[in-house]
Structure formats: structure tokens, C-alpha cells
């Protein structure tokens, strides 16, 4: 099994069959489990075995199948599935940090990640230093002997900066800091983050793992010691676990993730090249374009540019005109979905930020984030071109 390629692992790893030998994974829709005797109950609370469960907040067979499958896909020893991507980010950080600890984080983050680091952790006495994630000298200057955690999104949302996992991990490991990566935009398909130096990898499963806009979910991946010794006690007592039904949806999502993400990435590359050549847009940002500042790093780190691109329509008024003229692209704020989705970050996902912060992060008034779905790429391009004609 260790030698299986990702596509094989995504279909088979983790499967636990019941006595009925079902083909599709069973949904064990139960919160609890029956013990054969009082002694059995006592023994399980002292130490539950590999396939012994106590309470769905602690673990469940369908959830365990999902955890094993995504861990195998990522090349991690173990994983803990969570109720949402944010439960995963919060759980990974809160379970290992305490008052007095120091964290260094990239500044360009998903809005809710920024809220945890800036507002919540600091409330509990954790000091957080923010840096420009693409600037290695800035990481080096900010990381101190007492730095406990280094946190970043390997591709930032929504401006698609690519951060050098190997280089930042080296700086972090020199002071024994734990490298925690929110890897949503890289996707499990293009990720090799653990081999590249990450200690902990987090996914919002809501995005490409489900990939069809149905359920919220997340997962924290790392060593068995970290997942079972640090994360699990925090998660099982604070209640952010994934539901068995969601785990089943995510297992089905993993079976097709490789095909979907590769097809969506191919379309994203095609659209980025066509829109750049079109010349009417102030900016086209896509890690797979030669014009992207980290295009060489992108090739080495993740092979392709991913499923999301960003364009600058020039002004908020122009961006809104484009949004309102689109017929196939839907205005929403999910990404990684089968449906192509367009978002105006400045007035939605990143509305909370001050104008100064938006400017520092490159979230201009005209910026649109395009999550490319599974539709025909030429239809998507025609729709964008017709909408751009409104500007
Ligand atoms: C969506 C997202 C999250 C949060 O995930 P939810 O499942 O919505 O809680 C965290 N980080 C990144 C980069 C995301 O895109």
C-alpha cells in the first residue's frame, strides 16, 4: 500500500468493511458504541484499541476511514477530521500553543485564519509576528529562538502568492519551531508539503475534497504522536469533530479528487493564458503563468498552478459590472467546486480589513477571485469575455 500512487490511495486506503462486505463505505451514523461488559467499557476508557470507538466526538468508523485515506494521500502518519476548515486551523494552533509562546505567520491569510492569529491567540497571551510570506529575509528576521510555530498558506488567498515550503521550513526547524501549513489552494493532489518540510498540514475539506459544495469539513494531518497526543485530546474535549455523514461525503469526494483537480487546473491555466493575452485586464494573477513572481517555485513545489486565478478589472465599479453580467460563473465565496465561482474579496471575504491592510495585501477594489470548475473551458472564457465587454 505504501507504494501505491495517490490516485489508488484516494480510492482504496482506509476502507473498513462491515460483516456485509459492502462496496461503498458504510455510514456509521451513530454517536455511541456498545460495550460487551462493564469490564470492557472500563478497559476501553483506559486505552481504546485501533478499531475500538467510544463516542463520535472522539472517533467513529466512517470518520476514521476518511482520516486514514486523506493521511495516506498526503503522506502523513495520521489525521484528525474536523467539523470545518476553521475548526482544523483553530484545533491545530490552540492544541499546541500556550501563553508566552511566539508565532510567526505570513500576513496574507484567509480572513478567519487572520482572526484566529490576530484576535484570539493574542487574547490568550500568544505573541504573533506577521511577515511578507514571499520574503525569506523577513522570515529569518522574525523567527526567534523561542518561536514555537510558523504558520502560512502555501498559496495565499486571494492574491495567490506562493510561499517556499522548503526554505521557510529550514528556517523554522533551525529553532525547533513547528511548521503548520494551511494547504487549501495547493490541494492534496499537488501537495508534497510533508516531504518538503511541513510538520502539520491543514485542509478545509469544504473546498476541493468535497468539491461539490455540499458539506463543511476539515482535517489536521501530522505525526501520530502529534495527532493522537496533542490534537485529539483538544478536539475531543472541545467538540469540533467531523460528523459521520460528512466523512462519507468527503470519502466519495476523495475518490474523484485527482480527476477533478487536474481538469480544473488545466482549465485555469487555459483561462489565465487567454485572459493575459486579451490585454484588457489590469492584471491576471495565476501561479502557472510565466509572469507570476513565483512561477519557477510553483513548478518545483507543486507541479501546476492550481484551480484558482485572480484578475483585476481596474475598479470596483468595473468588477461589479463583470460579476453582474456573468451567466455561467456564479457569485459565491466557496472555491474548488465543480461549479465555477467568482468572488469580489474587497467587499465580501476580506471586507473586515482596513483599506490600508487591503492595500498591503494587494486586495485592490477591482480584484476578482475566480475558482475554476468543471464546465467547458471555452464556455467559461466566452462568458468572461462577454462580461468584460461591459466595462
Ligand atoms: C475556506 C478556507 C478555510 C476555512 O475552511 P472552512 O471549511 O470554510 O471552515 C481556511 N483556509 C483557507 C485557505 C480556506 O480557503
Amino acid at each position: 500500500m505504501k507504494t501505491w500512487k495517490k490516485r489508488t490511495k484516494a480510492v482504496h486506503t482506509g476502507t473498513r468493511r462491515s460483516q456485509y462486505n459492502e462496496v461503498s463505505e458504510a455510514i456509521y451514523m451513530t454517536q455511541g458504541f456498545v460495550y460487551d461488559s462493564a469490564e470492557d467499557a472500563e478497559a476501553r476508557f483506559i486505552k481504546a484499541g485501533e478499531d475500538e470507538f467510544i463516542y463520535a466526538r472522539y472517533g467513529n468508523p466512517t470518520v476514521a476511514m476518511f482520516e486514514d485515506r486523506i493521511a495516506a494521500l498526503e503522506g502523513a502518519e495520521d489525521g484528525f477530521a474536523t467539523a470545518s476548515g476553521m475548526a482544523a486551523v483553530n484545533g491545530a494552533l490552540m492544541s499546541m500553543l500556550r501563553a508566552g509562546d511566539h508565532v510567526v505567520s505570513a500576513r496574507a491569510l484567509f480572513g478567519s485564519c487572520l482572526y484566529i492569529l490576530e484576535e484570539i491567540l493574542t487574547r490568550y497571551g500568544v505573541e504573533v509576528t506577521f511577515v511578507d510570506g514571499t520574503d525569506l529575509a523577513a522570515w529569518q528576521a522574525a523567527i526567534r529562538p523561542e518561536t514555537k510555530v510558523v504558520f502560512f498558506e502555501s498559496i495565499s488567498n486571494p492574491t495567490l502568492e506562493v510561499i517556499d515550503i522548503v526554505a521557510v521550513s529550514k528556517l523554522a526547524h533551525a529553532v525547533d519551531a513547528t511548521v503548520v501549513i494551511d494547504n487549501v489552494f495547493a490541494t492534496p493532489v499537488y501537495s508534497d508539503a510533508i516531504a518538503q518540510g511541513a510538520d502539520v498540514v491543514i485542509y478545509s475539506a469544504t473546498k476541493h475534497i468535497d468539491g461539490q459544495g455540499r458539506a463543511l469539513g476539515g482535517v489536521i494531518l501530522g505525526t501520530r504522536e502529534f495527532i493522537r497526543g496533542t490534537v485529539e485530546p483538544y478536539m475531543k474535549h472541545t467538540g469540533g469533530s467531523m460528523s459521520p455523514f460528512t466523512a462519507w461525503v468527503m470519502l466519495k469526494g476523495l475518490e474523484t479528487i485527482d480527476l477533478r483537480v487536474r481538469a480544473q487546473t488545466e482549465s485555469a491555466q487555459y483561462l489565465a493564458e487567454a485572459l493575459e493575452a486579451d490585454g484588457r485586464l489590469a492584471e491576471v494573477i495565476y501561479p502557472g503563468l510565466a509572469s507570476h513572481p513565483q512561477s519557477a517555485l510553483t513548478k518545483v513545489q507543486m507541479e501546476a498552478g492550481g484551480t484558482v486565478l485572480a484578475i483585476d478589472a481596474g475598479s470596483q465599479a468595473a468588477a461589479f459590472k463583470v460579476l453582474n453580467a456573468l451567466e455561467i460563473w456564479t457569485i459565491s465565496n466557496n472555491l474548488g467546486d465543480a461549479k465555477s465561482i467568482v468572488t469580489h474579496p474587497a467587499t465580501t471575504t476580506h471586507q473586515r480589513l482596513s483599506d490600508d491592510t487591503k492595500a498591503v495585501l494587494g486586495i485592490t477594489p477591482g480584484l476578482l477571485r475566480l475558482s475554476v470548475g468543471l464546465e467547458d473551458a471555452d464556455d467559461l472564457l466566452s462568458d468572461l469575455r462577454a462580461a468584460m465587454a461591459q466595462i
Side-chain angles (χ1 to χ4, degrees):
M1 199 189 80
K2 274 238 159 83
T3 61
W4 285 354
K5 303 277 195 302
K6 282 194 182 192
R7 263 172 73 165
T8 311
K9 288 179 178 168
V11 176
H12 288 290
T13 310
T15 301
R16 287 161 167 79
R17 292 210 162 91
S18 77
Q19 71 273 31
Y20 298 112
N21 260 335
E22 62 281 353
V23 173
S24 175
E25 294 74 7
I27 308 174
Y28 293 95
M29 208 68 208
T30 179
Q31 55 64 37
F33 302 84
V34 178
Y35 312 104
D36 290 338
S37 65
E39 290 77 10
D40 182 34
E42 182 188 30
R44 205 172 294 185
F45 268 82
I46 294 170
K47 183 158 181 38
E50 173 76 11
D51 262 309
E52 294 180 342
F53 298 93
I54 292 173
Y55 193 64
R57 177 150 44 72
Y58 294 28
N60 168 286
T62 313
V63 177
M65 289 192 247
F66 170 66
E67 290 171 342
D68 288 355
R69 189 169 294 179
I70 181 68
L73 204 52
E74 190 64 31
E77 282 177 16
D78 212 341
F80 194 94
T82 58
S84 69
M86 287 324 302
V89 174
N90 183 66
L93 294 173
M94 289 292 274
S95 67
M96 77 174 123
L97 289 168
R98 60 188 64 232
D101 284 345
H102 179 237
V103 175
V104 181
S105 170
R107 191 179 289 120
L109 295 178
F110 181 71
S112 298
C113 294
L114 192 62
Y115 186 84
I116 289 178
L117 286 151
E118 218 173 21
E119 307 286 335
I120 300 179
L121 289 180
T122 52
R123 208 187 288 164
Y124 293 93
V126 174
E127 190 195 343
V128 185
T129 307
F130 290 100
V131 297
D132 171 351
T134 61
D135 182 352
L136 285 178
W139 283 107
Q140 178 139 40
I143 293 170
R144 317 196 292 239
E146 68 274 21
T147 301
K148 186 87 185 291
V149 166
V150 161
F151 182 83
F152 59 93
E153 293 170 12
S154 55
I155 304 185
S156 70
N157 175 24
T159 50
L160 309 173
E161 292 174 353
V162 183
I163 296 182
D164 189 335
I165 297 174
V166 171
V168 175
S169 298
K170 262 195 201 128
L171 294 173
H173 290 155
V175 298
D176 282 331
T178 302
V179 176
V180 182
I181 300 184
D182 180 336
N183 215 22
V184 166
F185 280 59
T187 82
V189 172
Y190 294 121
S191 171
D192 199 16
I194 291 197
Q196 289 160 350
D199 300 299
V200 181
V201 174
I202 294 165
Y203 287 105
S204 161
T206 316
K207 312 294 166 54
H208 305 83
I209 295 176
D210 175 3
Q212 287 155 86
R214 299 164 293 196
L216 283 172
V219 68
I220 307 167
L221 300 156
T223 62
R224 179 142 305 131
E225 189 191 350
F226 175 71
I227 296 298
R228 296 302 151 199
T230 302
V231 171
E232 184 187 294
Y234 179 86
M235 294 307 300
K236 78 182 187 187
H237 294 302
T238 56
S241 310
M242 179 179 276
S243 102
F245 182 75
T246 297
W248 180 80
V249 170
M250 298 308 177
L251 278 163
K252 295 293 111 186
L254 284 181
E255 290 183 349
T256 58
I257 192 171
D258 194 278
L259 295 173
R260 287 184 285 107
V261 166
R262 285 183 195 280
Q264 288 167 252
T265 299
E266 197 178 307
S267 295
Q269 178 78 38
Y270 174 75
L271 291 174
E273 284 173 12
L275 293 172
E276 191 173 54
D278 183 285
R280 274 184 290 171
L281 292 163
E283 201 173 9
V284 178
I285 308 171
Y286 182 64
L289 285 177
S291 59
H292 189 281
Q294 292 95 37
S295 71
L297 171 65
T298 302
K299 280 208 186 79
V300 177
Q301 185 162 296
M302 52 179 278
E303 161 193 339
T307 65
V308 181
L309 61 142
I311 57 175
D312 196 330
S315 67
Q316 180 173 320
F320 275 29
K321 265 191 188 152
V322 171
L323 282 174
N324 292 331
L326 289 166
E327 287 180 357
I328 301 172
W329 296 77
T330 43
I331 306 172
S332 189
N333 40 265
N334 191 18
L335 62 94
D337 200 277
K339 295 181 174 66
S340 289
I341 290 173
V342 58
T343 312
H344 185 246
T347 54
T348 60
T349 53
H350 293 71
Q351 187 183 96
R352 193 179 68 82
L353 304 181
S354 69
D355 287 346
D356 285 352
T357 308
K358 281 179 198 160
V360 169
L361 295 180
I363 302 170
T364 53
L367 191 77
L368 291 172
R369 186 186 77 189
L370 308 179
S371 167
V372 182
L374 285 169
E375 304 93 337
D376 184 280
D378 283 315
D379 285 344
L380 293 174
L381 183 59
S382 306
D383 196 27
L384 280 169
R385 284 210 167 114
M388 279 157 55
Q390 303 292 313
I391 305 175

